[in-house]
């Protein structure tokens, strides 16, 4: 598994820094990008590094809050799955939220299937200790504070509700996600907005994938701001709030796209 980042940057007077982690090698580190680029070396210059034993704290994506608190979601085969959890590298104390929305008879499902159903995209506010998860199967976006408490839920249609699904009706040997998907494929958090890329339902073949995509935009109070429609099959998104640019990938057509949404964003802020 390669070095991984969740895009957590720090910009200070002394330079630009990027947090990254390596699950297999067991560390979370902060690269000094400014010094690394000036050095001309292919080896990154690290300002800080933590040892993270994945046998004690398994995780899939990891955020740094301070030296005594890291926030993550669950590893893909973790048995006691939750939505969000924290870890103290000094004391090895672990705190967890609950797993929600609830599902009837969930104990009947293996961990890998539970992971498929509760997959989320996971992001952090650029400057605040506030986290967002947009679910892939359930149509809900949840905002958490640094104490793992859910502060706001953005929901639509029906399947976001507790006990909407019954595990007895799910056959893991079949394409059980077909027609059950009603969530999100991508998530970007900027200072003022939350961008969520709607997930497409699983198609019978690539030829049946609709070319258009939709990105929902919300403010941090969970209020809808805009629905953006694109004439491409978007797979992932990124947003430069300062320049007013939305970047996207279209894997099906092997494209990286850039959209100028500055006028729209200026209007939202006003």
């Amino acid at each position: 598994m390669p070095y991984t980042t969740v895009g957590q940057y720090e910009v200070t007077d002394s330079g630009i820094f990027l947090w990254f982690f390596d699950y297999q090698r067991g560390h979370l580190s902060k690269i000094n990008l400014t010094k690394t680029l000036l050095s001309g070396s292919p080896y990154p210059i690290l300002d800080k590094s933590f040892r993270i034993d994945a046998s004690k704290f398994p995780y899939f994506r990891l955020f740094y809050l301070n030296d005594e608190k890291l926030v993550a979601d669950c590893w893909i085969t973790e048995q006691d799955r939750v939505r969000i959890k924290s870890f103290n590298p000094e004391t090895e104390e672990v705190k967890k939220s609950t797993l929600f929305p609830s599902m009837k008879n969930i104990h009947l499902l293996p961990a890998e299937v539970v992971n498929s159903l509760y997959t989320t995209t996971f992001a952090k506010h650029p400057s605040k200790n506030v986290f967002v998860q947009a679910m892939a199967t359930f149509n809900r976006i949840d905002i958490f504070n640094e104490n793992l408490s859910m502060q706001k839920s953005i929901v639509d249609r029906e399947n976001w509700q507790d006990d909407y699904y019954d595990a007895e009706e799910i056959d893991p040997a079949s394409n059980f996600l077909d027609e059950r998907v009603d969530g999100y494929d991508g998530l970007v958090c900027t200072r003022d907005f939350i961008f969520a890329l709607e997930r497409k339902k699983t198609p019978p073949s690539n030829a049946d994938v609709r070319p258009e995509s939709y990105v929902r935009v919300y403010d941090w109070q969970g209020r809808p701001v805009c629905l953006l429609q694109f004439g491409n099959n978007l797979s992932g998104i990124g947003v430069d709030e300062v320049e007013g640019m939305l970047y996207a990938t279209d894997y099906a057509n092997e494209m990286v796209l850039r959209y100028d949404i500055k006028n729209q964003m200026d209007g939202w802020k006003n």
Side-chain angles (χ1 to χ4, degrees):
M1 189 174 184
Y3 292 142
T4 311
T5 177
V6 284
Q8 185 180 4
Y9 288 89
E10 293 180 13
V11 181
T12 70
D13 293 338
S14 59
I16 301 174
F17 305 86
L18 172 67
W19 285 96
F20 74 102
F21 51 86
D22 188 320
Y23 184 86
Q24 290 184 336
R25 293 178 177 85
H27 73 89
L28 170 70
S29 302
K30 183 168 73 169
I31 304 175
N32 188 319
L33 291 178
T34 301
K35 288 184 178 179
T36 299
L37 292 172
L38 290 174
S39 72
S41 169
Y43 300 101
I45 296 174
L46 303 183
D47 270 27
K48 183 176 290 189
S49 189
F50 296 92
R51 301 303 301 175
I52 309 296
D53 185 346
S55 66
K56 297 178 180 178
F57 186 70
Y59 64 88
F60 187 59
R61 288 162 294 195
L62 194 61
F63 293 92
Y64 172 87
L65 273 67
N66 54 57
D67 289 358
E68 298 179 353
K69 180 176 283 190
L70 312 178
V71 170
D73 54 0
C74 288
W75 180 242
I76 56 178
T77 56
E78 196 167 344
Q79 296 295 321
D80 185 21
R81 185 177 180 84
V82 296
R83 288 288 301 277
I84 185 172
K85 57 184 181 176
S86 65
F87 180 68
N88 186 328
E90 296 183 1
T91 66
E92 297 186 347
E93 179 186 15
V94 177
K95 294 182 179 180
K96 298 181 177 182
S97 73
T98 58
L99 183 64
F100 62 90
S102 60
M103 179 182 295
K104 297 177 184 177
N105 299 305
I106 194 171
H107 64 280
L108 299 176
L109 299 175
E112 293 83 357
V113 174
V114 174
N115 173 72
S116 296
L117 289 165
Y118 285 87
T119 294
T120 70
T121 49
F122 193 24
K124 179 183 178 297
H125 188 283
S127 59
K128 300 177 182 178
N129 291 335
V130 180
F131 303 87
V132 182
Q133 289 185 341
M135 305 192 77
T137 300
F138 302 90
N139 195 321
R140 62 183 298 153
I141 299 170
D142 298 294
I143 302 174
F144 300 84
N145 65 18
E146 63 180 288
N147 297 319
L148 315 183
S149 297
M150 194 265 289
Q151 301 295 290
K152 176 74 68 174
S153 286
I154 304 167
V155 299
D156 196 9
R157 292 188 279 271
E158 296 181 352
N159 82 340
W160 58 270
Q161 302 172 78
D162 285 337
D163 298 331
Y164 183 85
Y165 295 126
D166 188 335
E168 288 188 337
E169 301 172 357
I170 296 175
D171 178 9
S174 67
N175 294 325
F176 66 92
L177 284 180
D178 284 0
E179 302 305 321
R180 296 178 183 268
V181 170
D182 193 23
Y184 300 91
D185 253 341
L187 178 69
V188 175
C189 294
T190 69
R191 183 189 62 194
D192 295 311
F193 305 110
I194 298 169
F195 293 78
L197 172 63
E198 288 187 2
R199 187 177 183 186
K200 298 177 176 65
K201 292 184 182 296
T202 306
S205 69
N206 289 337
D208 296 315
V209 176
R210 69 176 190 263
E212 73 273 10
S213 300
Y214 298 89
V215 173
R216 300 189 186 194
V217 186
Y218 301 91
D219 64 18
W220 281 94
Q221 286 70 50
R223 295 174 298 212
V225 173
C226 185
L227 177 65
L228 298 171
Q229 180 178 359
F230 300 88
N232 296 92
N233 181 26
L234 304 189
S235 311
I237 57 173
V239 177
D240 182 337
E241 188 169 23
V242 175
E243 298 296 329
M245 293 290 178
L246 186 146
Y247 295 86
T249 51
D250 180 344
Y251 291 144
N253 297 293
E254 299 184 353
M255 293 191 294
V256 177
L257 305 159
R258 183 176 68 178
Y259 301 92
D260 186 344
I261 61 170
K262 183 171 178 54
N263 289 339
Q264 289 94 326
M265 292 185 74
D266 289 344
W268 304 337
K269 294 175 183 178
N270 294 330

